[in-house]
Amino acid sequence: MKNRIIGLFCFMAVHLAASAQTHVQLNLNVKHKLGDVTEFNRPKFINFHATINENYWDSANKIADLRDDLIRKYDVYVGRETGMIKTVLRNVKEDPERPGFADPDDLARLCSQNKKRYVQNTKVHPYEKYSNLILCNQFSPFYPDGTKTLKGWALSQKDTEDEPFGTASGEFYGRYIKEYFGEGGESGEPKPGFCEVINEPLWDIYDKPKAPKSSITKLFEFHSTIAAQVKKFNPDMKVGGYCTAFPDFELQNFGRWNARWKQFIDIAGKDMDFFTIHLYDFPCKDGKQMYRKGSNMEATMDMIEQYSMIKLGEVKPLMISEYSAQTHDYNRKPWSPYRDWLRLKSTNSMLMQFMERTDNICYAMPFAMLKSEWGYNPKTGLAHTARMLRRENEPESFTGEYVYSELIKFYQLWKDVKGTRVETNCDNPDIMCDAYVDGKNVYFIINNLDFKPVDLNLSVNGTSKDAKSIEVRHLYLKGGKDGVPMLDVYDAKSLDHFTLETEATCVICYNFDRKVKINETMEEVKYYATDYLKEIAAGKELVFNINNVKKTEYGEAVIRLGLGRNHGLSLLPELLVNGKKVDIPDNFRGDVQKDRASFFGVIEVPVDYSILKGNNTISLKFPDNGGHVSTVTMQIFNFSNNIRGI
């Protein structure tokens, strides 16, 4: 199967294997255009969960100038903010004329004080270009459920025609943005690029132990009200939600999807500028491994995209405002390099999948905070698990100056990556690859989803010259569960074969004597079937239509089948495309999901480009009962020339 991703080329030690090798191809002269996007967007992808002005930058660091070293040296972007807005809400006075509303004058006073502190903090102003802020509210006391602020009042819970549910919360949010933010420097902190309505609200109202099981419908109506109020005071602000903690659409035979995300899009979709979710691997939960990276993430994102197209007539941008891994079995243990590795391996794999759909992803932020000193428990000696910095004497004790944790290796691996995306392909769905050209430099990225090392055969086409120099960066785990993430960086004279370690990522940096010439184009377009979520019955034909497909003389295509089925049921239906039988590969991206309750993933099927038409009929027939076809989509790759024959 053709596996395409954005990125760099990477190398590893030469290891020829007796077993069949995976073939990875890079075509330097072929631009990969996805929608209107051709360039790597570092602010969108190379970032972390912080702000440029939080206090943790300036306390007890072994690194002389932490901001400069992390942000400027590695070209890293921030941030996401959920704290100060909560502090202001908890301390603002109630409007004496309107019970349940924040006093606009007192809110302006508090915002003015905070703005003044920012203006006076001139050392952060040079870093404003590295800030692309997501502003988000924590649940309490922002959600109107009667929870009182420190001033003894609660936001209005009224729900009338004149005051829809959440009006007071939305007015506070809108006024806060207008009063606090400026345009940078002496005018105040730059306005956020995005506003999430509320962080993981269903956890608080429905999913956590002893949750009140409040109305989910009311929560989604609340999102529409917030969007209207924010835009009343800030017409150009982008507002989105609903910030799902666990988007497990397949649960209850897709009852979870219908009750939550489908209902959210039905109620509030039209009012959202983007949708937002959180995605976490569970590599160690009670001894089990439950991954989203691979086919499961593809099915999750495809389902949101396809229903958005069906219901709204467009694919709304998707924000992943938190992603990485949750490290359950290690959370009550001291910091360890291995725990950081669990996050590193997930972050790299997930990032490459987000990069594949860069035209529809508006932001993807790995969940790693700067220090999270608030998360330290002196009774247990344990600190927050997702930190860019740790105490120098950890894990023995939470003492010493702050030094980088192993998570810095993600940013060291991706250092300097930028440029125009060029075409890559691979014959193994567990090997994801992507590449960028920046003048004389080429960055080729390869990621291994497999639980074993994979031998790679590399082919670099599109230039008659050899690279002047090659730098290899290879991030992998050394030593098993007691091991340490290793980032090997070294020079190589040539690269034809190498072994990519288990769940590892490599970036190969080629430098040429002259600028790489790009003279061909591959344009990728994604199409969606007019129906989705059909129940599977043995022998029953399920028909989907994908229309208005545009082709050129040369190209390739992949049909993507989203399937939700119990383990043991077939993932290999009979597939007909315009009446022609198409074979389905028995290997798909990522693991087989054996520790998840059921399988939910996308099977990617290469299709003969010549059998496709403007309007296409796809039919599926399964040999057994149960489960659903969740989505059917198609990727078309139109070539400007016969790039496979050149």
Side-chain angles (χ1 to χ4, degrees), residues 120-145:
Q120 292 173 342
N121 190 10
T122 56
K123 65 186 175 185
V124 310
H125 297 173
Y127 297 94
E128 288 175 347
K129 68 178 183 179
Y130 295 97
S131 177
N132 187 23
L133 189 66
I134 304 167
L135 184 63
C136 182
N137 286 283
Q138 294 290 357
F139 185 80
S140 290
F142 183 70
Y143 191 76
D145 62 357

Side-chain angles (χ1 to χ4, degrees), residues 1 111 344 350 384 452 477:
M1 185 200 91
C111 288
L344 284 168
M350 289 183 172
H384 199 282
K452 63 180 184 295
L477 179 69

Side-chain angles (χ1 to χ4, degrees), residues 28-47:
L28 291 174
N29 67 315
V30 181
K31 180 188 296 184
H32 186 163
K33 182 179 181 182
L34 177 57
D36 295 325
V37 180
T38 59
E39 304 297 308
F40 183 62
N41 189 325
R42 284 190 72 88
K44 181 189 293 188
F45 293 122
I46 308 301
N47 52 59

Side-chain angles (χ1 to χ4, degrees), residues 39-239:
E39 304 297 308
F40 183 62
N41 189 325
R42 284 190 72 88
K44 181 189 293 188
F45 293 122
I46 308 301
N47 52 59
F48 73 104
H49 198 289
T51 62
I52 60 171
N53 57 321
E54 62 183 71
N55 294 330
Y56 294 140
W57 287 104
D58 303 307
S59 60
N61 301 318
K62 190 160 190 176
I63 301 151
D65 188 339
L66 180 60
R67 268 191 199 85
D68 203 68
D69 194 78
L70 177 52
I71 292 178
R72 188 170 283 150
K73 178 180 176 180
Y74 295 112
D75 194 13
V76 176
Y77 296 77
V78 295
R80 187 168 182 249
E81 209 287 309
T82 64
M84 188 168 69
I85 187 172
K86 179 175 181 176
T87 300
V88 171
L89 177 56
R90 294 177 74 195
N91 287 280
V92 69
K93 296 177 182 178
E94 186 177 26
D95 188 336
E97 303 297 327
R98 298 182 303 160
F101 282 75
D103 183 338
D105 293 335
D106 195 50
L107 178 57
R109 178 186 63 83
L110 291 171
C111 288
S112 178
Q113 290 176 354
N114 290 332
K115 180 184 286 190
K116 184 178 180 180
R117 281 193 286 269
Y118 180 89
V119 169
Q120 292 173 342
N121 190 10
T122 56
K123 65 186 175 185
V124 310
H125 297 173
Y127 297 94
E128 288 175 347
K129 68 178 183 179
Y130 295 97
S131 177
N132 187 23
L133 189 66
I134 304 167
L135 184 63
C136 182
N137 286 283
Q138 294 290 357
F139 185 80
S140 290
F142 183 70
Y143 191 76
D145 62 357
T147 301
K148 292 184 178 181
T149 71
L150 296 178
K151 297 298 182 180
W153 65 279
L155 285 162
S156 172
Q157 300 179 64
K158 286 185 179 180
D159 188 8
T160 65
E161 186 175 348
D162 293 334
E163 187 185 319
F165 182 68
T167 297
S169 300
E171 181 182 304
F172 163 79
Y173 201 0
R175 287 186 183 276
Y176 174 85
I177 295 167
K178 183 178 180 180
E179 296 289 349
Y180 170 68
F181 291 98
E183 301 298 331
E186 294 184 358
S187 71
E189 184 176 353
K191 289 181 181 179
F194 304 91
C195 291
E196 288 181 287
V197 170
I198 194 168
N199 187 60
E200 299 183 347
L202 275 181
W203 173 251
D204 287 278
I205 73 166
Y206 209 87
D207 291 333
K208 73 179 182 181
K210 299 183 180 180
K213 306 298 183 185
S214 303
S215 169
I216 293 175
T217 299
K218 208 171 188 69
L219 170 67
F220 296 159
E221 293 169 347
F222 172 80
H223 276 70
S224 291
T225 304
I226 298 300
Q229 288 294 314
V230 168
K231 290 175 182 290
K232 176 180 176 180
F233 296 94
N234 311 274
D236 297 328
M237 189 57 60
K238 295 178 181 177
V239 181

Side-chain angles (χ1 to χ4, degrees), residues 53 75 87 92 116 251 272 279 364 404 559 563 572:
N53 57 321
D75 194 13
T87 300
V92 69
K116 184 178 180 180
L251 295 184
M272 298 293 102
L279 292 169
Y404 287 127
I559 287 180
L563 303 178
L572 298 171

Side-chain angles (χ1 to χ4, degrees), residues 406-418:
E406 299 295 328
L407 298 184
I408 191 62
K409 290 176 179 174
F410 171 80
Y411 302 96
Q412 292 170 338
L413 176 71
W414 288 86
K415 185 175 183 288
D416 300 323
V417 174
K418 57 184 175 181

